[in-house]
Amino acid sequence: MAAKQKILIVDDDNNIAELISLYLTKECFDTMIVNDGEEALRAFEQYMPNLLLLDLMLPGIDGYQVCREIRAKANIPIIMLSAKGEIFDKVLGLELGADDYMIKPFDSKELVARVKAVLRRYQPVKMEESSPDLKCVRYPDLTVNLSNYSVVYRGESIDMPPKELELLYFLAASPNQVFTREQLLDHIWGYEYIGDTRTVDVHVKRLREKIKDHESWGLSTVWGIGYKFEVKHI
């Protein structure tokens, strides 16, 4: 029997945390609740969760700082929870490495659906190296392998969250084809994700910080439309 996946719930409102725990437990997840940022960092090391549900407004160390510290040492999925619905807060959370952002109050079924969706993206299907369906694109100094979720850039392995890698692969697999932000949001995040197109911009920005343009290829912005993986010399 497979071990239950563990969810660390960080929220200073214990009533909300208990309610979230109840719904996740019904879906066969194992949960742990903590109520402040310092406790969250300690619990993360001891509990070793598969996913973090992180409230932003915490006493002491806030959720943004908790996200920053955990993302610096581990590549686990993080869903931020907040009563703040401003675009600035969402973008800041995503830039710090969150995988999703939910505004309170939220529907419990939607929360469970998003937890499952994010966890699925962190569990790529294993494929044999010899498989003819191996999903891999190669360019000079860049290899993006969707089969084992790896990126090698200039001979070095690049640590990259699943959605960043999926976005890079999707663009690189269709060189010089322009995609709108809406198309990319729909393909990478899917119908389960209710977000805005700024999410795509944030992830492209992160990719550009890790993968600099090459003399023969690059991530290009098509103003007023979207993005493309531009190949200059094939």
Side-chain angles (χ1 to χ4, degrees):
M1 185 177 177
K4 290 183 178 181
Q5 290 184 298
K6 298 185 289 185
I7 312 293
L8 178 60
I9 303 166
V10 186
D11 199 311
D12 62 338
D13 187 327
N14 208 54
N15 290 329
I16 292 177
E18 291 284 357
L19 188 61
I20 292 172
S21 176
L22 176 64
Y23 282 111
L24 290 172
T25 301
K26 285 183 178 179
E27 296 292 326
C28 296
F29 290 104
D30 185 78
T31 65
M32 179 178 184
I33 296 172
V34 296
N35 303 118
D36 63 62
E38 291 184 1
E39 193 179 0
L41 293 174
R42 288 194 299 270
F44 173 77
E45 298 289 348
Q46 298 165 3
Y47 185 54
M48 298 296 288
N50 298 102
L51 181 143
L52 183 67
L53 285 174
L54 178 62
D55 184 35
L56 291 181
M57 305 303 289
L58 297 170
I61 303 174
D62 67 17
Y64 290 119
Q65 184 62 28
V66 172
C67 180
R68 187 181 290 111
E69 292 191 26
I70 288 180
R71 184 54 80 223
K73 66 179 78 170
N75 191 31
I76 75 157
I78 298 173
I79 299 178
M80 285 187 169
L81 310 175
S82 178
K84 294 183 175 183
E86 289 81 3
I87 293 296
F88 171 81
D89 297 300
K90 291 182 183 179
V91 172
L92 178 58
L94 292 167
E95 284 184 334
L96 290 175
D99 294 271
D100 205 344
Y101 188 108
M102 294 194 69
I103 300 169
K104 297 179 180 179
F106 43 76
D107 181 78
S108 56
K109 290 182 179 178
E110 182 185 353
L111 175 65
V112 171
R114 292 205 189 189
V115 166
K116 290 180 177 179
V118 170
L119 284 170
R120 277 199 301 273
R121 288 196 291 269
Y122 273 72
Q123 295 171 339
V125 177
K126 294 181 179 178
M127 299 176 69
E128 295 297 325
E129 288 293 324
S130 59
S131 169
D133 298 322
L134 188 67
K135 294 184 177 180
C136 184
V137 292
R138 291 184 175 89
Y139 293 95
D141 294 321
L142 178 68
T143 299
V144 186
N145 192 326
L146 194 63
S147 299
N148 60 13
Y149 276 59
S150 67
V151 176
V152 177
Y153 172 63
R154 297 191 182 277
E156 294 187 4
S157 180
I158 304 297
D159 188 30
M160 194 173 288
K163 281 189 291 186
E164 285 181 34
L165 190 148
E166 289 168 11
L167 178 59
L168 178 61
Y169 176 84
F170 182 70
L171 289 168
S174 300
N176 296 324
Q177 182 173 341
V178 179
F179 293 96
T180 67
R181 290 170 175 82
E182 289 79 9
Q183 286 174 321
L184 294 171
L185 191 69
D186 182 64
H187 183 86
I188 305 303
W189 284 263
Y191 70 91
E192 292 168 319
Y193 184 80
I194 304 171
D196 61 68
T197 53
R198 288 287 295 278
T199 300
V200 176
D201 297 335
V202 169
H203 282 74
V204 169
K205 178 184 176 185
R206 280 199 232 156
L207 284 173
R208 284 173 169 159
E209 290 171 353
K210 298 174 182 178
I211 306 290
K212 306 300 181 183
D213 282 357
H214 193 273
E215 59 184 12
S216 61
W217 53 261
L219 279 172
S220 299
T221 300
V222 182
W223 297 108
I225 301 176
Y227 298 97
K228 69 177 178 178
F229 188 88
E230 184 177 359
V231 176
K232 303 158 190 174
H233 306 289
I234 298 179

